[in-house]
Amino acid sequence: MTESVLLFEPSLWSVIQVSDRDRLTFLHNQSTQAFRQRQPGEVCETVLVTATARILDLAIALIDQEAVWLLVSPNRQADLLQRLDRYIFFSDQVAVSDADSTLAVLTLVGDGTRSLLHTVVADALPEITESQHATLAIAGQSVQWVNYSGLRLPGSLLLVPVRGLAAVQAALQTAGAQPATAEQWELLRIQQGRPAVDRELTEDYNPLEAGLWHTLSFDKGCYIGQETIARLNTYKGVKQRLYGLELTTIPSQLPAPLSLEGEKVGVLTSAIATATGAIGLGYLRTKAGGAGLTVDCEGQPATVVNCPYLHHTYFEPESSGVPR
């Protein structure tokens, strides 16, 4: 029997399509990740930022033969489309468009994901890493499979033609995938530490503070927000960092202040109840400490913990790559 696999509906993601000859150079210049040398079939995460490196959104990019698909937050898609379009100059051969009418994203999370996919694909499942995508045939539809759940948990993302979405969903459920709720995703993302828009991803923060070091390229040259990010890394100037928190209770409202010995040292940005107690995510002043610290949240103790998705290691030029 297939191990439990959760199936999340497309509401978690919107899709932006970036096409035409200069698409990789354009994204290289507009986001934190290196794109110029990427090849069809590759996948990476990148952050779209302002000129001062403030966060607009965290995106998953699928590079294909004729386009790049950006999986973005639904409530940021319209703003991102406008911002990206603003940076297309007369000589650029780039087209940016809303792909939600043609493509939808299904999210699978669970140890049994690969076994489940084996039962629904028409051919053998290819061997790919979480940094790659491949084409699968499911329920007569050509589906782009990403061997990555968006979390540091086993799972997959499936980019599905909208016209065949119902058929693919039905095939997955028949194979044992269990329809999941937005609340279940919220629990998983907080446990893992994946930041969300309007909570941890706002223009109040930058990608280094948000623990998104794996989305940054420090040797690709100039891009929007590069100067600020490079300076913060060079001078080790990150003043606050995103952590998980084990809470006593959920605060009355969010964001909620975090304090230490009567002094505010951070802010709780997300919280949810679990079977064993409440958990959350929040930014903590770097000088206050990190994992293991106990802070106050509305008069109750909260313990600071590390999360699998988040990393806070400065990039050293002599190292071989960005810490993950």
Side-chain angles (χ1 to χ4, degrees):
M1 185 170 115
T2 301
E3 294 176 78
S4 176
V5 177
L6 299 177
L7 171 62
F8 294 91
E9 293 194 346
S11 57
L12 295 180
W13 313 95
S14 279
V15 185
I16 292 175
Q17 180 171 297
V18 184
S19 55
D20 218 332
R21 185 195 67 188
D22 298 328
R23 60 191 180 277
L24 292 179
T25 297
F26 179 73
L27 288 172
H28 191 90
N29 295 335
Q30 297 301 319
S31 72
T32 59
Q33 190 63 270
F35 277 92
R36 278 203 184 104
Q37 305 306 316
R38 293 196 178 270
Q39 301 298 313
E42 292 189 22
V43 176
C44 65
E45 290 186 291
T46 191
V47 184
L48 296 149
V49 295
T50 68
T52 55
R54 299 295 179 170
I55 298 172
L56 299 172
D57 200 7
L58 169 63
I60 299 174
L62 284 67
I63 294 87
D64 200 53
Q65 291 284 356
E66 303 295 333
V68 177
W69 297 299
L70 297 178
L71 312 189
V72 301
S73 304
N75 57 343
R76 290 291 170 86
Q77 189 207 46
D79 179 61
L80 291 174
L81 285 167
Q82 290 181 352
R83 286 176 179 267
L84 291 172
D85 187 67
R86 202 179 305 151
Y87 284 99
I88 299 176
F89 299 106
F90 180 76
S91 61
D92 293 337
Q93 292 191 29
V94 176
V96 177
S97 59
D98 175 357
D100 278 353
S101 62
T102 57
L103 294 170
V105 184
L106 294 174
T107 306
L108 297 167
V109 180
D111 290 333
T113 298
R114 196 175 185 91
S115 296
L116 184 145
L117 289 174
H118 269 293
T119 69
V120 298
V121 298
D123 300 307
L125 205 62
E127 291 296 329
I128 61 172
T129 71
E130 68 174 30
S131 298
Q132 298 172 309
H133 68 95
T135 302
L136 303 180
I138 301 177
Q141 302 298 313
S142 179
V143 173
Q144 293 302 313
W145 169 46
V146 183
N147 189 23
Y148 175 52
S149 66
L151 306 169
R152 294 289 178 252
L153 289 171
S156 295
L157 300 171
L158 301 176
L159 195 61
V160 182
V162 167
R163 66 180 181 275
L165 179 61
V168 173
Q169 286 178 301
L172 294 171
Q173 290 182 44
T174 299
Q178 302 171 11
T181 65
E183 185 178 17
Q184 286 174 292
W185 176 262
E186 183 74 354
L187 173 60
L188 291 175
R189 80 150 192 99
I190 292 176
Q191 287 175 333
Q192 291 290 299
R194 184 182 178 92
V197 295
D198 300 327
R199 295 298 183 97
E200 297 78 35
L201 303 179
T202 75
E203 292 190 35
D204 292 327
Y205 309 109
N206 63 59
L208 293 85
E209 294 171 333
L212 301 176
W213 292 77
H214 70 283
T215 71
L216 306 174
S217 172
F218 287 94
D219 55 11
K220 71 170 186 168
C222 185
Y223 63 92
I224 289 179
Q226 182 265 345
E227 184 178 350
T228 298
I229 288 173
R231 186 170 60 249
L232 288 169
N233 180 68
T234 298
Y235 297 105
K236 295 180 170 52
V238 178
K239 292 184 170 57
Q240 56 188 343
R241 295 176 176 178
L242 184 61
Y243 285 99
L245 289 118
E246 296 176 350
L247 305 168
T248 305
T249 59
I250 295 179
S252 57
Q253 63 179 12
L254 294 172
L258 301 172
S259 60
L260 183 64
E261 296 178 352
E263 179 184 0
K264 183 181 177 182
V265 293
V267 59
L268 182 72
T269 50
S270 293
I272 194 168
T274 77
T276 57
I279 58 173
L281 294 173
Y283 284 93
L284 189 68
R285 194 181 302 164
T286 303
K287 290 184 177 179
L293 184 69
T294 298
V295 294
D296 181 277
C297 182
E298 286 195 347
Q300 299 293 326
T303 303
V304 180
V305 296
N306 289 318
C307 292
Y309 189 86
L310 302 173
H311 297 274
H312 296 289
T313 304
Y314 284 102
F315 176 81
E316 300 296 338
E318 65 271 15
S319 66
S320 58
V322 179
R324 286 194 62 129

